[in-house]
Every structure is written in structure tokens, then in C-alpha cells.
Amino acid sequence: MDQQSNYGVEAAFKNATLSKENFIKQFLKNYVDEDYAWMSKVLMIDQGFDDEVIRQEYTKFANLNDIKDYTLRRLRYTENVNKSLEKISNAKEFFFPSSHLDIIRGDIKKILIAANLLLLEFLSSTNITLYRFNSINNRNNDQYLFLLFILYYEISDNDIQKAIQIINEVPRQLEEISNYKVNLNKYIDDINFIEWCYSYLQKNKRDYISYSDILITPNNIEEKSIFVETVINLIYINGDKEKFKYIHILNKIKKAWQTKSFRDEAKTKHKYHLPITQKAKDNLKKLAAFKNLTEGALLSELIGEAFLKEMCDENGKIIY
């Protein structure tokens, strides 16, 4: 073949490649980023991957761009792109409509709530454990990808309407919580409270153990704040109708924090000598030893608790 013929073949191949690329791009204009999650699954199934391999492949994605790159790469190198795109087009109706993600997209608090509620509704502990294990191995902590994993890799097409209902409710539920009479609004912007409350919740996991699979491991104060709010919000959403459990847990948290604050303040106060009976002093000494506190710290704690009980409302605000 002469040089001119070589040029002709190369030009034809280049034009065919460009034509294929443009065809793919034109087709994908009708889809948003989240759609690539289920499109990648369709292409994996087309390659003959079984469910376990598909899940393992998904955990290798670090973000949505990785999923897009994978999908585009598979389409570029498929022998029959028309057939692949037709399969994608036909499969769309069997997956969660991405338009319903508009109300939570970009809001990590809403994403965590939605993922938890979907988790509790649909997922088996086996698959969720597998996902988390593989995600940790791949250093992937993207909670939005986890939400998409639930929506596009786990739930069946029969569960789509229920999933839509759950996600559509999230903004309303968070608005309801923010306006509820018992809340942590007074404390949630206090860095010291967040640090303490995160540790407190870690020591009291029995109050929210069913949510532990999805919650991120915080690396900074902002993530600890999100962790605390998510735990509290989920207790509210999944609690009894009268919110007795939610109120009980929040009051426990507030009381423990206020007691700690009174103790910390007591350490910086001047010493006082109060005239009390010998019997009261003996009882104070025994009680302090029992609670492993100094007599001064115990007195401060008892006074603080009495003050909160007699002088403040349920949110710790002075009413007298």
C-alpha cells in the first residue's frame, strides 16, 4: 500500500473515531452525572460481570467523575456502540429517576439522612458490610457515591417509588426538626460542645447503633458536627410518634453537657467555706468518694443540677 493510501486509511479511521465520539456525546446530553452510576452497571452486566464483581468494581470509584470516565471508556471501545446505547436507553425506566436527587444534591446532611433511611428500608447487612469494607480498602469515603450505590446497585425497580418517597421527605423532616421545641440549637455552633458530644455519642452507641454503618468517621470539627447532627436527626425521624425517645436522649445530652460545664467552671472559681452540719459534711464526703469527685466538685454538680431543675426550662434557659 503506497503512502497516499496509508493517509487515506488513517483519515478514514480518524473520522470514524470522531464520528463515534460525537455520536456518544450527543446521546449522553440527555443524561446527568448521577445517571452514569446505573449506566456503568448496565455496561458491566453487558460484559458478563456477576453481582459480586459489579459491587466490587463500583467501590473502586472515588467520585462521579471516575464513574463517567469508566462509562465513556467502555462506550468508546465497544464494538457495537449503537447496541450499547440502545441497552442504556431501554434500561433507564428500570432505575431510580435522577431528577429526584435535585433536592438533596450537594447537601451532606440531607445525603446522610437519605442514605440511612434507604439503608434501613432496603439493604441487607451483608451487602452493606461488603461495600464499606471495599470502600475503606480503596480509601473511598464519598457518602454521595454510597447513596447512589444504594439507589442504583441495590434496590429493585419495584422499590423505586418507595425510595422516591423517602428522599422527597428528607427536606421537610429536617425543617420539622429545626423547629421542634426540644433541640440542640443553643449548643450546636459551640466547638467545645461538638468535640464533647461526639465523644459522648461514641460512648453511648446503644442509642443509635442501627445507624453506625453509614456514618462517616470524622476527621475534623466540621465532620464531627455533621456526625452529631445526623445521629440526633435520625433518632428524631425514626423515633416514636410522640418523640419520647428523642426528647429523652436530647435531655440526657444537655444535662450531661451542662453538668460538665458547671464542673469546668467550678475548677476556676474561688474556694468558699459554707457552714453546714457535721452530718451533712459526713454525707458529702461519702457521696464524693462514691462518685470519685472532690467535695467541691460534687457540690458544684449538685447545685448546677438543682439550678437547672428549679430555675431553667427544658432547653436550659433561665425562667426566674
Side-chain angles (χ1 to χ4, degrees):
M1 185 179 290
D2 59 27
Q3 188 175 13
Q4 186 174 2
S5 296
N6 282 334
Y7 286 148
V9 171
E10 290 176 4
F13 178 78
K14 183 177 181 181
N15 288 335
T17 302
L18 287 174
S19 177
K20 183 178 183 180
E21 183 80 14
N22 290 334
F23 182 55
I24 293 170
K25 287 183 178 179
Q26 187 65 29
F27 175 85
L28 293 175
K29 282 173 63 176
N30 299 317
Y31 297 89
V32 297
D33 288 353
E34 288 83 358
D35 288 321
Y36 285 85
W38 63 262
M39 284 192 277
S40 65
K41 181 180 180 180
V42 171
L43 293 175
M44 288 183 202
I45 293 172
D46 194 38
Q47 285 182 262
F49 292 176
D50 62 29
D51 286 348
E52 183 177 351
V53 172
I54 288 173
R55 291 189 179 95
Q56 289 174 348
E57 286 297 308
Y58 186 87
T59 61
K60 296 176 183 177
F61 299 137
N63 49 52
L64 273 173
N65 284 333
D66 279 359
I67 302 178
K68 291 178 69 174
D69 289 344
Y70 172 88
T71 304
L72 290 170
R73 191 165 59 251
R74 292 306 313 162
L75 289 172
R76 288 187 188 111
Y77 294 109
T78 188
E79 291 184 5
N80 191 336
V81 69
N82 288 335
K83 184 179 179 181
S84 295
L85 294 179
E86 183 180 1
K87 286 185 177 181
I88 288 174
S89 181
N90 292 335
K92 182 177 181 179
E93 65 177 299
F94 299 106
F95 289 98
F96 181 91
S98 55
S99 59
H100 287 280
L101 293 169
D102 293 346
I103 58 175
I104 65 172
R105 184 185 292 114
D107 189 324
I108 186 60
K109 294 178 184 178
K110 292 178 181 177
I111 289 167
L112 283 171
I113 294 296
N116 263 285
L117 297 179
L118 291 168
L119 164 66
L120 295 173
E121 182 73 27
F122 298 117
L123 265 67
S124 71
S125 58
T126 301
N127 287 342
I128 203 69
T129 301
L130 174 67
Y131 179 89
R132 297 302 287 168
F133 176 77
N134 287 329
S135 295
I136 291 169
N137 283 347
N138 290 295
R139 298 181 180 180
N140 177 9
N141 199 31
D142 189 321
Q143 300 305 303
Y144 196 46
L145 283 193
F146 184 54
L147 174 66
L148 298 181
F149 170 78
I150 298 171
L151 291 173
Y152 295 126
Y153 281 68
E154 284 297 321
I155 70 171
S156 69
D157 54 324
N158 294 326
D159 295 323
I160 289 176
Q161 287 306 313
K162 180 63 177 178
I164 290 173
Q165 180 185 344
I166 288 172
I167 288 180
N168 285 347
E169 280 286 290
V170 170
R172 182 198 63 77
Q173 289 168 327
L174 291 181
E175 178 69 19
E176 181 179 307
I177 293 169
S178 68
N179 294 322
Y180 193 69
K181 60 181 179 180
V182 180
N183 54 63
L184 294 178
N185 293 350
K186 178 180 177 181
Y187 311 102
I188 207 66
D189 293 326
D190 185 339
I191 293 176
N192 294 322
F193 172 78
I194 293 299
E195 289 282 6
W196 170 86
C197 193
Y198 173 71
S199 298
Y200 177 88
L201 290 172
Q202 289 293 85
K203 295 174 183 176
N204 294 273
K205 285 188 176 182
R206 64 184 179 276
D207 289 334
Y208 68 98
I209 192 66
S210 56
Y211 317 128
S212 58
D213 283 326
I214 178 64
L215 293 173
I216 57 176
T217 301
N219 296 311
N220 52 53
I221 192 64
E222 182 180 0
E223 291 180 357
K224 287 181 180 178
S225 178
I226 292 170
F227 180 100
V228 169
E229 288 191 67
T230 301
V231 168
I232 299 303
N233 291 341
L234 286 167
I235 292 171
Y236 179 96
I237 292 170
N238 289 306
D240 52 287
K241 185 177 181 180
E242 292 77 16
K243 307 304 176 188
F244 290 140
K245 181 179 179 181
Y246 170 81
I247 293 171
H248 173 69
I249 291 175
L250 253 66
N251 284 338
K252 273 177 61 179
I253 291 172
K254 287 190 285 189
K255 183 177 180 181
W257 168 248
Q258 290 160 353
T259 298
K260 177 190 179 302
S261 299
F262 275 113
R263 281 186 191 172
D264 292 345
E265 290 175 9
K267 294 176 182 178
T268 63
K269 301 299 182 183
H270 297 292
K271 293 183 177 179
Y272 292 94
H273 296 283
L274 300 175
I276 59 176
T277 66
Q278 186 61 46
K279 183 178 180 180
K281 185 170 183 177
D282 291 341
N283 289 340
L284 177 65
K285 185 176 181 180
K286 292 176 183 177
L287 185 57
F290 175 76
K291 299 191 69 171
N292 196 28
L293 296 171
T294 65
E295 293 177 19
L298 176 59
L299 271 176
S300 296
E301 181 179 311
L302 293 174
I303 292 170
E305 290 177 355
F307 185 84
L308 289 170
K309 182 179 179 181
E310 304 293 338
M311 302 292 291
C312 302
D313 63 16
E314 58 189 6
N315 288 314
K317 184 178 180 180
I318 296 175
I319 55 178
Y320 297 111

